[in-house]
């Protein structure tokens, strides 16, 4: 079938921003793994597609002091294979390794994944748990937004304005001694999207073992990744022991209003949130491991 | 005259393997025809409705539209508008009413897809919706909406199928009785009753369904991905009222079929469009979502009541099976007879089996790998585990106590030939360490083992013909109707021909089916091709060698009976240097080509009886019986209900293995089908009878990461028969049952509804009754 839309292929960011200024009904195409399916199924029918794959300068990984910056066009597979990322953000590499399959990861980009805002996706939860933020460029300038500062607005909805483009994802490195995990639970085939995904990062006092900070993000269960700072803070000042973990897990299960879909009913998902938050906290609650990695489901 | 058989048993790589994985195969969906029009089909929005009117006037004069087909054109153009292999109940486009959502009602051919789709949108159809029925028991209940009239068109060669249906919405009924079942139940120490429900599942072959049809001045030429080109040829000839010989069907290699390409669906519509377009070729291709509405595996409800004596011996069983046929009969009249295997390969002296094919307003059920056996196999194997638990016996022990031995009678009364189930059970069970304990727990994870056996028949009667040509340069090709769908038939058949002619398999080309060149073959299905076409090719080769030997004998000045066929051609027994090669023999013949034609008709049992069942299901049920046993260990997470199949072993007796590597792949493929069906595959409908999960994202199949860590296949040939038997399907039924049984044992619950999704399992763990010894 033919589809009626114009295609623009800018080569530079300024050129892209000029195109965005026109403000037509536009979709940006990066890896194309989501947009092409949406168009062919008639879920979106933009007047114009801007193919940003050839925009200069959006495809690099930069390892800075205490943070790594991923250009929005970096394929998930490149992050997964990047040795610098493996050293500084092992939990991210571990999470990406189980997204879809290698064919999809070769094409899908980190920026595209975030902007698609599919509720049944792995990277948003783990990036949020790591405290990632994104750079949004527009003809008017640039703004930086933390993912957990309302970036995800709903099903396939973000705060990115029509004249903005996500240019980079900045991920701070967890401090030494921090432990992180991402548990991805699939209820059907091994290549399914997650029924529940739990990312958790804990920073503890190296001497006393008391928790200083805990972040727990649950993805795949509601419109957007779910985080409850009040529940996270219950672990602060204590050891992340099974009783606290169970209390936090029960709290997440109670507070999240889970969706009902082909991967599980709301009833089932509520139980799985409890199980996998508990398991994620158990994975990062014991003695620090050599690679800072927790268990995987 | 003797010949060597060296090519048999070699694990040569599939001859088209490299082409398949490098994208060089030209599938039907890759084919284009110059000037072809694009055909598109309008489906019914209703599951059940009367068609009041069809208005295509808005298409008149529409630029680019070349043909329209509705019931009007169908009736004008066809000699007989109905299709169907046994009961002719299906017009290619709906005549007066629609019986499932998505049923073709109209079709157009246009210069491109966009115009075709726009044209479809302009067709106005007025429907009078009728009450629809989606459940087989509801369809049989008094007052249910009638989907078809009770008097129907049955093909003349099936006199045992009455013109009047056995009841409203009954496609056909199969009945079997043996011994005295009531007396058996009276003597039983224990009676176990369960109902086992299988959902519809999808074939989901990777290659899209597509066809190119051209109406010719006196017939038709059709290129399509069909598993039964010769049946399609006859059906299209009958549709048009032209001689069979005027219809030509060609079939390129296929990208997966699994039973989903045995029904004429797109071809008649494309052909009618071509007729309307004055003979321009018309191409129709469905996308993946549209293909979901073409056919499903028969959903089934199998109710078993089994009586056992104090020692755990089966003494009586009553089986009531309801196979949902969906909107049309298709293969259902044949398939429901598989209730003859509702006791499995176990001796049951007193039994009754009653099996119904039932019309509902759903996607028509079609042939599917495992053909009706899959559904009864997991029922009798889950029942066997329930009985074992009730009498306190080990699942392996109770099976060994009841399983048939060579010569024992099957449910049909026929003595079963050399089926050595004891051997298969021991092999499969030992491979996964059955005796080392059947259940273990680590944290929330429980591991348990499960077992299952199957007895699978082969469609009977069927016929294969083959022609082998030896060309002047010594090259050889064979003209066959067998379709290579990825199963490797082209390779296996080449090995059979090569063995018979003492040449290298790479010297043999197995041609893709072309009805203008190849002789009749029933179908590529039912695990029959290596066996039936293999024997037809052996017959053809023998006849070819017979002719060659006469010329060779003249050349060598010896008697034909003194010749030996070997790698260097013919030589005189005891004097290997006196030889003449095949090229020299063809030259000596003066014919430039030598042709051998052979055939095999599978209509008799191995002991020579005509395969036929009487009104009580007694007689002979199949030309071949395929035995298999599967055993597995699964791990169930009790917190989540999630299942992993850790180890799986399958033992089968397939006689002489033509190509062990390809045979292994058939078992592995069947096993992965089975794991998907056991754990998560299910076609779902919404409350209006529309398909609810018709993409491969919503409908999941196992991925390569779902393959068990250990997957062992053991081919056994305990009697050294040198016969070649089929293997395309046999592993599917027992693997599905073994996985379900292992899960049931892990959680201590009897699981009666598939698929066993984590949620289903968790609910059973939390609320279901524990397996107990209650009758």
């Amino acid at each position: 079938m033919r589809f009626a839309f114009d295609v623009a292929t800018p080569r530079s960011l300024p050129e892209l921003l000029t195109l965005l200024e026109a403000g037509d009904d536009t979709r940006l195409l990066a890896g194309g793994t989501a947009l092409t399916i949406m168009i062919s199924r008639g879920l979106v029918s933009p007047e114009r597609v801007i193919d940003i794959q050839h925009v200069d300068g959006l495809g690099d990984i930069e390892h800075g002091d205490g943070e790594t910056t991923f250009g929005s066009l970096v394929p998930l597979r490149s992050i997964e294979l990047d040795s610098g990322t493996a050293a500084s953000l092992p939990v991210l590499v571990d999470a990406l390794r189980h997204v879809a399959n290698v064919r999809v990861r070769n094409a899908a980009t980190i920026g595209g994944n975030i902007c698609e805002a599919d509720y049944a996706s792995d990277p948003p939860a783990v990036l949020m748990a790591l405290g990632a933020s994104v750079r949004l460029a527009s003809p008017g300038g640039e703004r930086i937004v933390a993912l957990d500062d309302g970036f995800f607005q709903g099903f396939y909805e973000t705060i990115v304005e029509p004249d903005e483009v996500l240019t980079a994802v900045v991920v701070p490195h967890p401090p030494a001694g921090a432990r992180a995990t991402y548990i991805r639970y699939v209820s059907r085939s091994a290549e399914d999207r997650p029924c529940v995904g739990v990312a958790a990062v804990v920073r503890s006092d190296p001497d006393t073992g008391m928790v200083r900070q805990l972040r727990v993000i649950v993805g795949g269960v509601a419109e957007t990744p779910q985080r409850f700072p009040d529940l996270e803070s219950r672990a602060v000042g204590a050891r992340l022991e099974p009783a606290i973990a169970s209390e936090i897990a029960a709290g997440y299960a109670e507070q999240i209003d889970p969706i009902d879909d082909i991967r599980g009913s709301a009833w089932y998902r509520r139980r799985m949130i409890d199980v996998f938050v508990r398991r994620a906290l158990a994975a990062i609650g014991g003695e620090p491991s050599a690679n800072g990695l927790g268990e995987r489901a | 005259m003797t010949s060597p058989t060296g090519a048999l048993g070699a694990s040569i790589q599939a001859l088209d393997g490299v082409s398949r994985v490098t994208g060089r195969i030209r599938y039907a969906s890759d084919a284009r025809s110059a000037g072809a029009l694009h055909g598109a089909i309008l489906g019914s929005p209703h599951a059940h409705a009367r068609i009041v009117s069809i208005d295509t006037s808005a298409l008149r004069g529409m630029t680019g539209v070349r043909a329209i087909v509705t019931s009007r054109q169908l009736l004008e153009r066809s000699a007989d508008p109905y299709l169907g292999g046994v009961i002719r109940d299906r017009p290619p486009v709906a005549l007066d009413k629609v019986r499932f959502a998505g049923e073709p009602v109209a079709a157009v051919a246009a210069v491109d897809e966009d115009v075709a789709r726009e044209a479809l949108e302009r067709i106005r159809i007025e429907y009078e919706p009728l009450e629809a029925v989606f459940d087989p028991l509801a369809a049989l209940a008094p007052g249910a909406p009638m989907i078809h009239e009770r008097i129907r068109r049955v093909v003349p060669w099936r006199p045992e199928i009455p013109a009047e249906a056995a009841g409203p919405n009954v496609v056909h009924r199969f009945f079997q009785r043996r011994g005295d079942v009531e007396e058996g139940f009276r003597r039983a120490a224990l009676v176990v009753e369960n109902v086992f429900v299988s959902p519809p599942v999808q074939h989901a072959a990777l290659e899209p369904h597509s066809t190119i049809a051209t109406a010719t001045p006196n017939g038709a030429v059709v290129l399509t991905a069909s598993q039964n080109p010769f049946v399609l040829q006859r059906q299209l000839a009958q549709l048009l009222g032209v001689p069979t010989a005027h219809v030509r069907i060609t079939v390129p290699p296929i990208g997966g079929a699994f039973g989903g390409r045995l029904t004429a669906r797109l071809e008649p519509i494309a052909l009618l469009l071509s007729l309307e377009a004055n003979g321009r070729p018309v191409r129709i291709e469905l996308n993946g979502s549209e293909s979901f509405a073409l056919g499903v595996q028969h959903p089934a409800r199998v109710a078993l009541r089994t009586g056992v004596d104090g020692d755990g011996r089966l003494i009586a069983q009553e089986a009531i099976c309801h196979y949902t046929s969906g909107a049309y009969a298709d293969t259902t009249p044949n398939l429901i007879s598989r209730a003859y295997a509702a006791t499995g390969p176990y001796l049951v002296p007193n039994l009754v089996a009653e099996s119904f094919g039932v019309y509902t307003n759903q996607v028509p059920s079609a042939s599917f790998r495992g053909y009706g056996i899959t559904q009864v196999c997991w029922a009798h194997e889950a029942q066997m585990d329930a009985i074992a638990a009730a009498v306190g016996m080990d699942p392996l022990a109770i099976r060994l106590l009841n399983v048939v031995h060579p010569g024992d009678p099957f449910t049909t009364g026929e003595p079963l030939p050399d089926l050595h189930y004891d051997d298969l059970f021991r092999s499969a069970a030992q491979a996964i360490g059955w005796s080392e304990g059947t259940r273990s727990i680590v944290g929330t994870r429980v591991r348990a083992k499960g077992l299952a056996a199957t007895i699978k028949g082969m469609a009977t009667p069927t016929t294969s013909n083959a022609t082998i040509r030896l060309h002047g340069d010594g090259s050889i090709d064979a003209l066959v109707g067998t379709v290579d769908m990825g199963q490797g038939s082209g390779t296996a058949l080449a090995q059979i021909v090569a063995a018979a002619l003492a040449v290298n398999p790479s010297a043999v080309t197995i041609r893709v089916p072309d009805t203008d060149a190849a002789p009749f073959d029933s179908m590529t299905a039912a695990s029959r091709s290596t066996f039936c076409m293999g024997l037809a090719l052996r017959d053809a080769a023998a006849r070819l060698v017979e002719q060659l030997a006469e010329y060779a004998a003249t050349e060598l000045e010896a008697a034909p009976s003194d010749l030996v066929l070997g790698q260097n051609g013919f030589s005189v027994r005891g004097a290997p240097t006196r030889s003449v090669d095949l090229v020299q023999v063809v030259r000596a013949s003066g014919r430039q080509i030598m042709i051998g034609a052979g055939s095999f008709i599978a209509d008799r049992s191995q002991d020579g009886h005509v395969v036929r069942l009487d009104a009580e299901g007694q007689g002979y049920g199949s030309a071949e019986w395929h035995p298999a046993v599967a055993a597995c260990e699964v791990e169930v997470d009790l917190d989540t209900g999630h299942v992993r199949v850790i180890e799986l072993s399958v033992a089968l007796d397939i006689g002489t293995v033509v190509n062990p590597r390809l045979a292994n792949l058939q078992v592995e493929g069947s096993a992965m089908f089975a794991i998907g069906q056991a754990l998560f595959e299910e076609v779902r409908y919404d409350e209006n009878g529309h398909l609810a999960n018709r993409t491969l994202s919503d409908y999941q199949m196992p991925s390569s990461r779902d393959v068990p860590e250990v997957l062992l296949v053991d081919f056994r040939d305990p009697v050294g028969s040198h016969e070649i038997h089929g293997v395309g399907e046999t592993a599917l039924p027992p693997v599905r049952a073994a996985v379900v049984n292992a899960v049931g044992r892990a959680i201590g619950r009897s699981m009666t509804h598939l698929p066993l999704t984590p949620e289903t399992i968790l609910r059973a763990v939390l609320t279901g009754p524990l397996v107990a010894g209650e009758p």
Side-chain angles (χ1 to χ4, degrees):
Chain A
M1 202 183 304
R2 285 199 301 264
F3 298 96
F5 53 77
D6 297 326
V7 178
T9 50
R11 303 275 157 177
S12 68
L13 188 58
E15 198 184 334
L16 167 58
L17 295 176
T18 309
L19 286 166
L20 286 174
E21 216 166 5
D24 293 334
D25 174 17
T26 293
R27 294 277 172 167
L28 302 191
L29 180 132
T33 54
L35 186 64
T36 52
I37 292 173
M38 289 181 183
I39 290 176
S40 67
R41 290 202 190 144
L43 299 173
V44 299
S45 41
E47 288 170 15
R48 186 177 60 161
V49 169
I50 302 181
D51 174 4
I52 65 169
Q53 294 180 85
H54 309 289
V55 172
D56 232 20
L58 303 184
D60 302 324
I61 302 177
E62 287 167 29
H63 298 288
D65 191 16
E67 64 182 34
T68 297
T69 303
F70 301 97
S72 59
L73 292 181
V74 176
L76 300 183
R77 180 75 172 156
S78 301
I79 299 173
E80 179 191 335
L81 297 177
D82 180 61
S83 57
T85 308
S88 55
L89 297 164
V91 69
L92 178 61
V93 168
D94 188 54
L96 294 182
R97 199 174 287 147
H98 296 91
V99 173
N101 56 53
V102 72
R103 279 95 56 204
V104 170
R105 297 200 298 276
N106 272 325
T109 64
I110 185 78
N113 175 276
I114 294 171
C115 289
E116 185 200 1
D118 189 321
Y119 75 95
S121 181
D122 302 287
V126 70
L127 289 168
M128 252 173 94
L130 288 166
S133 51
V134 294
R135 287 198 198 134
L136 303 174
S138 70
E142 185 185 77
R143 61 175 175 149
I144 293 174
V145 180
L147 285 183
D148 76 351
D149 193 14
F151 179 87
F152 297 107
Q153 294 279 299
F155 285 121
Y156 305 99
E157 260 185 66
T158 67
I159 60 155
V160 180
E161 297 290 339
D163 67 346
E164 284 183 316
V165 58
L166 189 154
T167 56
V169 183
V170 184
V171 188
H173 300 163
R179 308 187 70 201
T181 191
Y182 178 70
I183 302 187
R184 165 184 218 272
Y185 172 63
V186 291
S187 55
R188 303 184 299 169
S189 96
E191 285 189 3
D192 199 4
R193 287 170 172 272
C195 172
V196 177
V198 179
V201 181
V202 67
R203 192 155 60 84
S204 306
D205 186 299
D207 299 326
T208 65
M210 299 298 179
V211 172
R212 286 183 177 162
Q213 192 192 32
L214 173 71
R215 289 168 78 102
V216 178
I217 315 288
V218 182
V221 295
E223 288 190 32
T224 60
Q226 300 285 300
R227 180 185 176 206
F228 296 93
D230 286 358
L231 293 170
E232 291 171 347
S233 67
R234 294 199 192 170
V236 174
R239 283 199 178 80
L240 193 49
E241 282 169 349
I244 296 252
S246 294
E247 187 187 323
I248 295 171
Y252 269 78
E254 192 187 309
Q255 298 217 18
I256 294 172
D257 182 16
I259 53 159
D260 218 325
D261 71 6
I262 204 153
R263 296 178 198 91
S265 69
W267 171 86
Y268 183 71
R269 273 212 169 76
R270 202 180 285 282
R271 295 190 70 99
M272 292 309 100
I273 293 165
D274 185 25
V275 169
F276 287 101
V277 170
R278 198 154 28 84
R279 288 187 183 178
L281 295 180
I284 59 172
E287 293 300 308
S289 63
N291 65 358
L293 262 182
E295 171 208 49
R296 238 191 11 244
Chain B
M1 196 34 255
T2 55
S3 63
T5 56
L8 288 185
S11 280
I12 62 169
Q13 181 179 301
L15 297 176
D16 65 351
V18 171
S19 300
R20 281 204 185 254
V21 300
T22 53
R24 290 197 188 93
I25 295 264
R26 302 288 295 173
Y27 296 104
S29 52
D30 295 318
R32 296 294 182 273
S33 177
L37 297 170
H38 189 100
I41 299 170
L42 183 64
S44 162
H46 300 287
H48 199 193
R50 193 160 300 286
I51 298 171
V52 178
S53 64
I54 301 179
D55 177 4
T56 58
S57 59
L59 275 65
R60 223 168 279 144
M62 191 177 156
T63 308
V65 177
R66 296 286 183 269
I68 305 165
V69 166
T70 66
S71 55
R72 190 166 73 82
Q73 289 78 13
L74 170 62
L75 291 171
E76 280 171 15
R77 291 286 185 178
S78 64
D80 178 342
Y82 292 98
L83 298 168
V86 182
I87 296 170
R88 299 162 43 70
D89 60 359
R90 182 168 189 181
V93 292
L95 287 177
D96 51 351
K97 69 179 207 169
V98 290
R99 299 179 172 89
F100 71 99
E103 174 164 8
V105 180
V108 299
V111 292
D112 67 29
E113 183 178 359
D114 289 342
V115 175
R117 299 222 175 243
E118 198 191 325
L120 290 185
E121 285 173 21
R122 295 198 195 175
I123 298 175
R124 294 281 163 261
I125 301 178
E126 190 188 334
Y127 294 97
E128 177 197 331
L130 302 170
E131 188 192 341
V133 61
F134 305 120
D135 175 76
L137 297 187
L140 294 181
M146 281 283 279
I147 298 171
H148 289 268
E149 301 306 316
R150 283 185 66 176
I151 305 293
R152 65 273 178 92
R153 299 157 204 84
V154 179
V155 295
W157 57 90
R158 295 296 296 274
E160 81 281 14
I161 301 203
E164 184 174 2
N169 296 326
V170 174
V171 178
H172 188 44
R173 171 179 173 269
F174 170 81
F175 181 74
Q176 186 175 49
R177 178 178 11 227
R178 185 168 168 73
D180 181 342
V181 76
E182 288 316 319
E183 171 61 19
F185 281 121
R186 269 194 293 278
R187 293 196 348 252
L190 176 81
V191 175
V192 175
E193 273 190 80
N194 280 298
V195 178
F196 300 96
V197 180
S198 299
V201 300
Q202 258 292 324
H203 306 88
L206 275 184
E207 185 190 353
H209 286 261
S210 73
T211 196
I212 302 176
T214 310
T216 59
N218 66 354
V221 175
V222 179
L223 180 149
T224 194
S226 165
Q227 291 176 255
N228 51 357
F230 292 91
V231 173
L232 177 66
Q233 180 191 30
R234 290 177 177 184
Q235 290 186 331
L236 294 182
Q238 190 171 1
L239 180 75
L240 299 184
V242 301
T244 301
H246 292 184
V247 175
R248 179 186 187 186
I249 311 288
T250 58
V251 180
I254 292 181
F258 317 115
R261 302 186 198 269
L262 284 158
T263 307
R265 285 170 299 220
L266 303 185
E267 298 90 349
I269 297 175
L271 181 53
L272 290 165
L273 285 168
S274 177
L275 273 170
E276 288 289 314
N278 297 320
R280 267 181 78 170
V282 174
R283 178 172 184 275
I284 299 179
E285 177 175 330
L286 300 188
N287 64 33
S289 286
E290 291 166 334
S291 297
F292 269 70
L294 288 186
V296 294
Q297 184 189 51
H298 284 73
R301 180 185 189 280
V302 178
L304 298 182
R305 183 166 160 249
T306 312
V308 197
D309 73 10
D311 300 328
R313 278 184 203 277
L314 308 180
I315 53 177
Q317 178 166 290
E318 178 190 74
I320 313 280
C321 308
H322 290 90
Y323 287 96
T324 300
S325 189
Y328 292 97
D330 201 292
T331 191
T332 302
N334 299 333
L335 180 135
I336 58 169
S337 70
R338 274 29 177 191
Y340 62 45
T343 56
Y346 305 108
L347 261 180
V348 184
N350 307 291
L351 62 91
V352 163
E354 193 173 20
S355 179
F356 297 90
V358 185
Y359 287 121
T360 62
N361 294 113
Q362 286 156 311
V363 170
S365 297
S367 299
F368 196 109
R369 192 180 206 174
Y371 198 73
I373 295 292
T374 311
Q375 296 90 329
V376 290
C377 177
W378 91 266
H380 67 68
E381 288 304 283
Q383 181 81 339
M384 197 60 122
D385 268 23
I387 294 167
V391 301
M393 282 181 79
D394 175 74
L396 176 59
I398 196 169
R399 285 173 168 83
L400 290 174
L401 178 68
N402 285 287
V403 79
V404 292
H405 292 92
D408 280 347
F410 189 43
T411 62
T412 54
E414 71 193 274
L416 287 169
D418 287 320
L419 300 182
H420 297 258
Y421 278 100
D422 283 7
D423 190 49
L424 298 178
F425 269 117
R426 293 204 172 91
S427 162
Q430 193 174 15
I432 62 150
W434 182 269
S435 59
E436 296 153 23
T438 49
R439 199 165 178 271
S440 64
I441 305 179
V442 178
T444 65
R445 296 187 165 102
V446 185
R447 288 191 177 197
K449 292 164 185 164
L451 266 179
T454 202
I455 180 161
K456 194 188 170 302
M458 189 184 76
T460 310
T462 65
T463 300
S464 286
N465 293 280
T467 305
I468 301 177
R469 304 188 296 197
L470 171 60
H471 297 269
D473 64 350
S475 62
I476 295 162
D477 63 357
L479 305 172
V480 298
T482 298
V483 181
D484 201 327
M485 315 177 293
Q487 84 280 38
S489 59
T491 307
L493 296 177
Q495 286 179 266
I496 290 170
V497 172
L501 298 177
V503 298
N504 194 304
S506 61
V508 179
T509 302
I510 302 293
R511 297 286 172 202
V512 297
D514 177 347
T515 58
D516 269 8
F520 180 89
D521 176 53
S522 295
M523 57 183 167
T524 304
S527 308
R528 64 178 291 280
S529 295
T530 313
F531 173 63
C532 295
M533 189 56 81
L535 288 173
L537 283 166
R538 281 181 168 181
D539 186 38
R543 288 163 193 266
L544 175 61
V545 170
E546 216 172 280
Q547 299 172 54
L548 294 171
E550 283 190 28
Y551 291 104
T554 306
E555 289 294 293
L556 294 171
E557 295 176 349
S561 57
D562 285 337
L563 299 187
V564 178
L565 179 59
Q567 306 231 317
N568 302 317
F570 289 93
S571 58
V572 179
R573 196 184 312 273
T577 50
R578 282 174 64 196
S579 71
V580 56
D581 69 22
L582 296 182
V583 172
Q584 291 168 310
V585 177
V586 177
R587 193 177 301 139
S589 76
R591 292 194 202 173
Q592 304 294 340
I593 189 167
M594 296 290 284
I595 297 174
S599 67
F600 178 70
I601 302 165
D603 64 348
R604 282 168 193 273
S605 66
Q606 275 163 286
D607 56 359
H609 290 82
V610 172
V611 172
R612 188 185 299 136
L613 295 176
D614 66 18
E616 301 222 317
Q618 299 301 294
Y620 281 78
S622 176
E624 287 245 290
W625 294 107
H626 297 158
V629 173
C632 69
E633 178 169 39
V634 302
E635 182 179 272
V636 183
D637 186 333
L638 294 179
D639 272 357
T640 65
H642 191 267
V643 175
R644 249 181 354 124
V645 182
I646 310 285
E647 289 194 19
L648 173 65
S649 68
V650 190
L652 314 91
D653 175 3
I654 61 169
T656 295
V657 187
V658 176
N659 184 321
R661 174 166 157 174
L662 293 180
N664 250 287
L665 289 174
Q666 284 301 305
V667 177
E668 290 177 15
S670 293
M672 293 316 294
F673 265 62
I675 287 173
Q677 292 174 14
L679 299 180
F680 48 79
E681 287 191 46
E682 177 179 15
V683 171
R684 297 189 189 186
Y685 293 90
D686 68 15
E687 65 280 9
N688 297 317
H690 291 250
L691 290 170
N693 56 339
R694 57 192 306 174
T695 69
L696 290 180
S697 169
D698 290 337
Y699 182 92
Q700 291 258 310
M701 296 188 299
S703 72
S704 54
R705 298 207 309 253
D706 292 296
V707 177
E709 289 162 23
V710 177
L711 203 173
L712 302 164
V713 180
D714 185 13
F715 293 122
R716 306 186 75 80
D717 184 9
V719 290
S721 62
H722 304 298
E723 288 171 359
I724 295 170
H725 301 297
V727 68
E729 306 165 89
T730 327
L732 200 168
V735 171
R736 170 159 148 177
V739 170
V740 179
N741 281 350
V743 171
R745 300 186 78 214
I747 65 175
R749 304 290 193 283
S750 186
M751 304 305 289
T752 56
H753 285 66
L754 295 185
L756 300 183
T757 63
E759 185 161 351
T760 305
I761 291 169
L762 187 62
R763 282 187 194 272
V765 167
L766 295 173
T767 61
L770 280 167
V771 170
E774 295 296 319

